[in-house]
Amino acid sequence: MTRALGPFPITPLGLLVGLGCGYALVEYGFGRIDLVLLVIGAVGLGVAAFGLLATTAGALILWLHHRKRGQAKDASEGSLDVECGYPVPTGFWLPRLRALPFVSISWRWITPEAQVRIAPKRGRLREEVIASRRGQVAVVVRELEVGDIFGLTQICLRLTERRKVRFVPSVGQLKRVDVIRGMAGGEDISHPEGPQEGELYDLRAYTPGDPIRFVLWKVFARTRQLVVRAPERALSPIRQTCAYVVAGSGDEPAAGAARLAVELGALGSEWVLGADGSNDDATRKDQAVDVLARSADVADPVGGKGLGAFLQRRGKGSIGRAVVFVPGRPGPWLDNVAEQCKHVGSRGGRIEFVVGTDGIIPPPKRKWLARLAIREHAPEIPPGSTAPVTTQQVAEVVRVLSNAGRVIVVDRAAGRMFAGGHLHALDKQRAA
């Protein structure tokens, strides 16, 4: 109905004013020679008619401008990257129509969802958008509204622009993301008869088949026990890191932390990034941004179900070093992740979880009478919400994930990281 009535130029207010002024002009102005209502009716009908003419002409001019611009296909307007939370100029503009007085022009984005700011500059209305949710689209649909300043007339048009737009998650105030370093075989020179990963000299009890020249006879003389020297396994940081982003309610801070970790090299020199909703893993920064953008389309109940397949695909039998970025608000994803991590320990490694938040606040206090008489329902949080989480919510996430690995919490709004004693304090607040 909105699209059908969009080109109709008269608003309900304009229809009411037009009928009222017409009735006053005919019935009282001409019929009873009421000069006051005669003037009011004539002026009202004149303003409505002028507004209708100006609105129709303005809408036609803007539609022709957009059509001509679409046919020209300006090469300077290619793909667009928009960082969530910040105004970004898109290059889209419309003329101000100064020759048509009393005409107001505005528009908004229908697909994808984004807040639009219109900045007048040099006879043009230039567009800036602010996105709150990451994602990517190939078509932008705008709804243009042209009307008079009195609100009597208005024409709504749909403007479609084929353009690749990618919304990337914001890093906020975060300056760094520290993740644990896993260990693997080192590069030191090993004993000729030992494995290539390490060097001598570890001590262990003698077993049949060990070379006699490795026996420590001085130790045998004192303790009467045969002890041999064995190659010691040298350890060094793992070069490749497996990172994964879990999609769920309030996952924008986690996606922003993952983007910062990739850009700053916190994952190491060699890394691979996966996310819910994407079967293609990223090994470059540009691929990582695409993977993060595609994860925004994942439904909330499905979040976290791809973690097990990712670790099996990239772990190659041993997890080694794995970092999982998760939301700070509990949801269906939490049970999915806990289920996927049950057999992590048997595959030779533990996972480090990075919990992303946009602020941590204490839960609202309720009186004992309200707690007994009223059942409080959890509010529905939109997927792209940047609302802070409560201490109880983040403590529940930390408690569940601590069974599978090490947990750190990052606050994107404040640019802080919490681990160790801070997390224990959250757990105590939750228990209290």
Side-chain angles (χ1 to χ4, degrees):
M1 184 180 296
T2 302
R3 297 191 63 179
L5 296 179
F8 188 71
I10 301 178
T11 63
L13 177 61
L15 184 61
L16 179 63
V17 171
L19 293 177
C21 291
Y23 181 78
L25 178 64
V26 175
E27 181 67 20
Y28 292 95
F30 293 151
R32 303 184 184 183
I33 315 300
D34 191 327
L35 298 181
V36 175
L37 294 180
L38 176 65
V39 173
I40 293 177
V43 171
L45 288 178
V47 171
F50 182 78
L52 177 62
L53 180 61
T55 299
T56 305
L60 181 61
I61 293 174
L62 295 179
W63 181 77
L64 293 175
H65 169 79
H66 177 74
R67 183 180 179 183
K68 181 179 178 181
R69 186 164 176 251
Q71 293 176 352
K73 294 182 179 180
D74 190 356
S76 62
E77 297 182 1
S79 60
L80 177 65
D81 285 345
V82 178
E83 184 174 1
C84 297
Y86 298 94
V88 177
T90 64
F92 179 84
W93 62 273
L94 291 175
R96 297 184 63 177
L97 302 181
R98 293 180 176 178
L100 296 176
F102 308 116
V103 174
S104 64
I105 303 172
S106 64
W107 65 87
R108 63 187 182 93
W109 279 25
I110 298 179
T111 305
E113 295 184 0
Q115 180 184 353
V116 176
R117 290 183 179 180
I118 301 176
K121 186 177 181 181
R122 297 180 181 179
R124 296 180 177 180
L125 300 176
R126 301 184 180 273
E127 178 186 70
E128 296 180 353
V129 295
I130 304 175
S132 59
R133 178 69 170 169
R134 68 190 187 281
Q136 60 181 2
V137 295
V139 177
V140 178
V141 180
R142 299 177 176 88
E143 185 177 62
L144 174 65
E145 297 179 355
V146 183
D148 64 283
I149 60 176
F150 304 106
L152 304 179
T153 60
Q154 185 181 69
I155 295 179
C156 297
L157 301 175
R158 293 288 178 92
L159 305 180
T160 302
E161 180 185 10
R162 295 192 175 276
R163 186 179 187 185
K164 182 179 178 181
V165 180
R166 183 174 62 180
F167 297 139
V168 299
S170 172
V171 301
Q173 300 299 321
L174 289 176
K175 303 301 181 183
R176 60 187 180 90
V177 176
D178 297 330
V179 293
I180 194 171
R181 290 185 175 271
M183 307 301 288
E187 300 175 351
D188 296 334
I189 300 176
S190 63
H191 190 271
E193 295 191 8
Q196 297 297 322
E197 298 88 10
E199 64 178 5
L200 218 53
Y201 300 137
D202 193 11
L203 302 181
R204 63 174 176 82
Y206 174 85
T207 57
D210 289 337
I212 297 298
R213 65 178 181 272
F214 291 160
V215 175
L216 296 178
W217 296 109
K218 292 183 179 180
V219 177
F220 175 77
R222 293 195 305 268
T223 63
R224 314 303 293 179
Q225 294 181 358
L226 289 175
V227 179
V228 298
R229 292 176 296 183
E232 179 185 14
R233 184 178 179 85
L235 299 178
S236 64
I238 290 178
R239 294 185 179 275
Q240 187 176 30
T241 302
C242 298
Y244 193 84
V245 179
V246 175
S249 178
D251 59 355
E252 284 296 317
R259 176 193 165 201
L260 182 64
V262 169
E263 292 181 349
L264 297 183
L267 301 179
S269 58
E270 297 181 6
W271 51 268
V272 58
L273 177 69
D276 287 331
S278 178
N279 295 326
D280 300 329
D281 303 328
T283 56
R284 302 195 311 267
K285 293 182 180 181
D286 56 339
Q287 295 176 345
V289 177
D290 288 335
V291 169
L292 293 176
R294 287 195 298 266
S295 65
D297 300 330
V298 177
D300 197 23
V302 187
K305 289 188 175 181
L307 176 60
F310 171 78
L311 294 178
Q312 185 176 6
R313 181 172 66 251
R314 290 293 179 176
K316 298 180 181 181
S318 176
I319 291 178
R321 183 186 182 195
V323 183
V324 181
F325 298 87
V326 299
R329 184 176 290 107
W333 67 267
L334 187 57
D335 296 333
N336 297 335
V337 171
E339 181 68 23
Q340 300 291 328
C341 294
K342 282 185 177 180
H343 306 290
V344 169
S346 62
R347 299 214 304 267
R350 286 173 66 84
I351 299 178
E352 179 175 6
F353 296 95
V354 179
V355 182
T357 65
D358 268 334
I360 304 175
I361 59 175
K365 296 182 179 180
R366 301 176 62 206
K367 296 182 179 180
W368 65 272
L369 183 60
R371 291 197 299 267
L372 293 176
I374 302 176
R375 176 179 296 178
E376 185 178 6
H377 297 279
E380 295 184 359
I381 305 297
S385 175
T386 56
V389 297
T390 64
T391 54
Q392 292 181 349
Q393 290 174 331
V394 70
E396 176 67 18
V397 173
V398 172
R399 182 187 65 82
V400 174
L401 297 182
S402 297
N403 298 327
R406 179 174 177 263
V407 181
I408 62 174
V409 178
V410 296
D411 186 351
R412 186 177 64 166
R416 301 178 60 186
M417 301 180 59
F418 304 94
H422 294 90
L423 301 184
H424 291 299
L426 288 176
D427 195 24
K428 290 182 180 179
Q429 291 181 7
R430 175 184 175 276

